[in-house]
Amino acid sequence: MDLKLTEEHKMIRDMAREFAQKEIAPIAAEIDEAGRFPTETVAKMGELGFMGIEIPEEYGGTGLDTLSYVLAMIEISKACASHGAIMSVNNSLVCHGLYLFGTEEQKQELLVPLATGEKLGAYSLTESQAGSDPSNMRCTAVYDGQADEYVINGLKAWVTSGPNADYIMLFAMTDRSLGSRGISAFIVDTSLPGFSPGKAEPKLGIRASHTSELIFEDYRLPARYRLGEEGQGLKIALSILDAGRVGIAAQAVGIAEAAFETARDYAKAGSSLAR
Ligand SMILES: Cc1cc2nc3c(=O)[nH]c(=O)nc-3n(C[C@H](O)[C@H](O)[C@H](O)COP(=O)(O)OP(=O)(O)OC[C@H]3O[C@@H](n4cnc5c(N)ncnc54)[C@H](O)[C@@H]3O)c2cc1C
């Protein structure tokens, strides 16, 4: 595999580095301590094309390759892990998932605003009793044939950008008797009645990226927002998570580089003081 950077790769890396060091690094400590979601800089990431890097331009994305995504993700995460987490979920889990599994109508209506960064996305699979084992999921989506809608009830857990997202890729049981084969995928609009973000998790780090519960109480979703067929939810969820691992790895590289450079600079300053 040839990992030599092209001029285009260098351009996106340098652009991300300049933006991250100029606009994100100076606020990183403050937003982490305050647990403040960085609305303004996330909007700027959208304007720069960082919220849908691999999505083709016809769907609002930047139309670049995975290496470009990785390079940008490293630079953003190096300045602030919270920005990295928000960017990674929107790119890898939500936009990529919609691109792979959405219908043309869903892409035009939902993917375009998500990939341009006009709207923010989240991904919700986990529940308190269903982490490693999603077949234990209790959130239900019951089809109401008369209204051609699903009625969603349940409590989800640990959702990155849960309280900030406009659209959430949600996994819920349409047939509990089938276990993991009874899970289906949906894109829910958080502005509709019946949705509220629940308790926010008090994390030790990455605190400007909010992680919360989601509460659905008789939330009604038009059936056209189901992603894929009924029962395909777990397959969709896992294939999206697989693709997302590259973003998480890039985040880790950025955080590790920042930790190394901070420790190196501290040690150098210490040794010059000792002389
Ligand atoms: C900061 C943060 C952000 C997150 N963001 C999201 C998000 O955006 N969307 C989302 O859906 N989820 C999110 N999650 C949830 C995350 O995906 C889950 O934490 C994960 O699926 C593991 O589930 P769990 O925490 O319930 O652990 P558990 O499933 O309870 O596992 C605990 C431990 O037991 C081990 N274990 C589990 N089952 C077995 C077994 N059968 N045999 C042996 N060992 C086992 C596991 O490997 C693990 O080490 C987030 C979590 C965190 C911490």
Side-chain angles (χ1 to χ4, degrees):
M1 192 182 200
D2 182 11
L3 279 181
K4 242 174 81 189
L5 301 188
T6 62
E7 285 311 308
E8 193 174 56
H9 290 137
K10 288 180 194 162
M11 205 174 76
I12 181 101
R13 181 199 59 193
D14 294 348
M15 202 169 108
R17 183 176 294 166
E18 197 190 330
F19 169 71
Q21 291 306 319
K22 249 197 204 152
E23 306 215 23
I24 297 178
I27 60 165
E30 178 261 305
I31 58 172
D32 193 65
E33 268 169 43
R36 180 172 72 78
F37 184 86
T39 311
E40 308 80 18
T41 34
V42 169
K44 282 189 189 167
M45 292 204 298
E47 286 163 22
L48 290 170
F50 294 160
M51 296 305 268
I53 292 181
E54 291 179 89
I55 301 301
E57 291 177 39
E58 61 185 298
Y59 297 121
T62 312
L64 298 176
D65 62 5
T66 304
L67 187 51
S68 304
Y69 172 49
V70 164
L71 292 166
M73 181 61 76
I74 290 174
E75 294 302 328
I76 299 293
S77 304
K78 200 168 165 176
C80 173
S82 294
H83 280 78
I86 296 161
M87 177 176 158
S88 149
V89 167
N90 199 75
N91 273 272
S92 296
L93 302 187
V94 187
C95 287
H96 190 65
L98 255 170
Y99 179 62
L100 288 183
F101 298 103
T103 60
E104 186 57 31
E105 291 73 28
Q106 288 170 339
K107 287 180 192 166
Q108 291 300 341
E109 185 183 344
L110 307 167
L111 178 55
V112 171
L114 284 163
T116 54
E118 190 192 317
K119 301 276 185 194
L120 185 71
Y123 172 99
S124 176
L125 178 65
T126 306
E127 294 179 14
S128 59
Q129 77 301 332
S132 306
D133 178 17
S135 65
N136 210 17
M137 186 179 286
R138 290 192 194 136
C139 181
T140 55
V142 177
Y143 183 62
D144 170 354
Q146 275 197 332
D148 195 25
E149 289 175 343
Y150 284 90
V151 184
I152 301 177
N153 278 289
L155 178 66
K156 305 298 282 187
W158 286 102
V159 184
T160 301
S161 300
N164 321 98
D166 300 289
Y167 297 129
I168 299 177
M169 187 169 295
L170 174 79
F171 299 89
M173 278 285 180
T174 40
D175 188 344
R176 275 211 77 147
S177 69
L178 296 175
S180 60
R181 290 199 191 136
I183 298 173
S184 301
F186 303 90
I187 299 283
V188 300
D189 179 338
T190 60
S191 68
L192 296 181
F195 167 83
S196 55
K199 172 174 77 76
E201 299 296 344
K203 304 200 302 282
L204 288 173
I206 320 190
R207 288 162 41 82
S209 153
H210 295 167
T211 312
S212 79
E213 294 177 339
L214 305 179
I215 302 167
F216 292 91
E217 289 171 305
D218 291 332
Y219 173 99
R220 299 189 78 92
L221 182 74
R224 66 176 187 279
Y225 294 117
R226 192 189 67 225
L227 205 58
E229 297 302 318
E230 271 196 16
Q232 283 186 337
L234 190 60
K235 211 173 106 192
I236 292 174
L238 297 182
S239 98
I240 292 173
L241 285 177
D242 278 347
R245 306 214 191 274
V246 70
I248 303 293
Q251 242 180 296
V253 171
I255 295 168
E257 276 186 13
F260 169 74
E261 288 173 17
T262 306
R264 182 198 59 198
D265 294 347
Y266 181 80
K268 276 189 175 170
S271 60
S272 67
L273 280 178
R275 258 181 264 143

